Amino acid sequence: MTHTSLPKYYHEIQKKSRDLKFGQISEDEVGVLLRLLVSSKPRAKVLELGTGTGMGLSWIAEGLHSEGSLVSVEKNEKLLNVARMFFEDDPRIELVHQDASSWIEENRDAQFDVIFADTWAGKFTDLDAILKMVKTNGFYLIDDLNYQAHWPGYHQEKVLFLVDKLKYHPDFYTFPIDVGTGLMLLCKK
Ligand SMILES: C[S@@+](CC[C@H](N)C(=O)[O-])C[C@H]1O[C@@H](n2cnc3c(N)ncnc32)[C@H](O)[C@@H]1O
């Protein structure tokens, strides 16, 4: 994407991800949207599930108000260590090494302005719990919804079920966005 500025550490995270052969970093379209959503909320409270090496985090960090906060949860410590390298000293950011599902279970009453659910937990599992954690007027974003040839058969069914459930969810306005891997953005009524 050439029509926008890139966040701090973008190239460093790309390189570290390549070195680790980690190919699941967020696409630029997702990052640009995350930065915009986060910056639309003064002092935003943000949650990311599945930190990876910190690419989505780098976009979120750029849009985040100086008094905002971000919790990002990752179960793979090797990947999380890359994000730690760049963001550990940022007082707005808490990097958590934990299974996202158990983190959700322990933090059921927490409320967030923006949630980026970028792993199974908070998307294919724990969905009702995570949707309750979105504040009124807050956003919930997911990606990887467009069919990919390498998916096993049952995965497509899971995605279709999820998309249907979200499209008609009574508590949210929903916007499917057909860019990149296929996104869906929800705003709580
Ligand atoms: C799509 S990648 C995340 C990419 C990252 N958000 C970005 O913007 O570049 C999904 C991540 O979820 C992590 N993950 C998978 N299962 C998890 C779980 N149960 N709890 C926490 N993290 C998990 C994987 O290790 C992987 O790093």
Side-chain angles (χ1 to χ4, degrees), residues 71-162:
V71 179
S72 186
V73 184
E74 169 63 52
K75 75 168 184 189
N76 181 328
E77 189 151 35
K78 209 163 151 189
L79 299 175
L80 189 63
N81 280 340
V82 176
R84 282 180 175 141
M85 217 178 274
F86 302 112
F87 298 104
E88 196 164 44
D89 294 334
D90 188 326
R92 303 170 303 168
I93 297 172
E94 184 189 353
L95 298 171
V96 181
H97 177 219
Q98 191 175 346
D99 173 78
S101 200
S102 71
W103 188 92
I104 293 168
E105 184 57 40
E106 287 171 18
N107 293 275
R108 279 178 174 269
D109 296 330
Q111 290 279 290
F112 294 92
D113 294 292
V114 180
I115 296 180
F116 176 38
D118 204 17
T119 185
W120 278 47
K123 190 171 165 186
F124 297 111
T125 68
D126 312 277
L127 183 64
D128 292 336
I130 204 73
L131 293 180
K132 282 198 185 114
M133 294 166 86
V134 181
K135 285 188 195 175
T136 301
N137 304 128
F139 297 111
Y140 169 83
L141 178 69
I142 51 175
D143 68 355
D144 286 329
L145 299 175
N146 286 346
Y147 174 76
Q148 293 173 36
H150 65 81
W151 284 356
Y154 67 87
H155 187 66
Q156 193 177 4
E157 279 161 31
K158 272 181 188 286
V159 171
L160 292 175
F161 180 80
L162 173 70

Side-chain angles (χ1 to χ4, degrees), residues 28-71:
D28 291 353
E29 288 85 354
V30 176
V32 167
L33 181 56
L34 279 170
R35 181 174 61 183
L36 182 153
L37 294 174
V38 168
S39 71
S40 76
K41 303 273 181 194
R43 290 174 285 280
K45 277 190 71 183
V46 185
L47 172 66
E48 179 186 43
L49 299 171
T51 316
T53 47
M55 182 54 91
L57 201 155
S58 71
W59 291 94
I60 293 169
E62 196 173 89
L64 192 64
H65 189 272
S66 58
E67 287 169 36
S69 64
L70 163 66
V71 179

Side-chain angles (χ1 to χ4, degrees), residues 168-181:
Y168 302 109
H169 198 295
D171 300 336
F172 288 87
Y173 296 118
T174 303
F175 182 38
I177 309 172
D178 191 13
V179 300
T181 58

